[in-house]
Amino acid sequence: MALIHDKSLELFSDKSIPLNKDQLRNQYVGFASIQPSFEVKPISIAVIDHRVANAFYYFKWESENGNLSGKGRTMQTFIKQGDKWISIASISSKCSKPPPCPSEW
């Protein structure tokens, strides 16, 4: 959570609106409770002016007991603060299911 900006927003494929940092914390605490192994495969990274970066990558995970798993893709935007890259936004999608639009859209 220390590498996520306080005003960051993230959109997951099972949500119709982005989650803020407090909502993300709740999601990540629940996810961590299944003790997943996680693998990331970078697709492309674009660094702009040494201060902003967009990273595209595939991910897959599996719970410690092997009963739960998932795979997908993410686009994440970072800004450099001091010597650390801090996430300010991302959108993730399961490989099999894109994010839903709001019902009124």
Side-chain angles (χ1 to χ4, degrees), residues 16-76:
S16 59
I17 60 171
L19 303 178
N20 64 34
K21 189 172 182 177
D22 289 334
Q23 294 165 319
L24 289 170
R25 183 178 287 109
N26 292 334
Q27 292 284 314
Y28 291 152
V29 165
F31 187 67
S33 71
I34 65 169
Q35 300 178 331
S37 60
F38 206 87
E39 186 177 335
V40 174
K41 179 181 179 183
I43 302 169
S44 183
I45 298 173
V47 178
I48 301 132
D49 293 334
H50 305 289
R51 296 175 296 150
V52 177
N54 285 322
F56 297 83
Y57 54 90
Y58 296 115
F59 65 87
K60 60 183 174 178
W61 61 271
E62 184 174 352
S63 63
E64 183 179 46
N65 63 13
N67 290 339
L68 300 170
S69 64
K71 60 183 176 177
R73 69 193 106 216
T74 295
M75 189 283 296
Q76 194 158 12

Side-chain angles (χ1 to χ4, degrees), residues 78-97:
F78 298 90
I79 59 170
K80 193 164 190 182
Q81 291 187 334
D83 63 344
K84 294 182 181 176
W85 287 96
I86 308 294
S87 176
I88 59 170
S90 75
I91 184 168
S92 297
S93 177
K94 295 176 183 176
C95 287
S96 61
K97 183 180 176 187

Side-chain angles (χ1 to χ4, degrees), residues 11-17 97-102:
L11 181 59
F12 298 121
S13 61
D14 60 344
K15 307 291 184 209
S16 59
I17 60 171
K97 183 180 176 187
C101 290

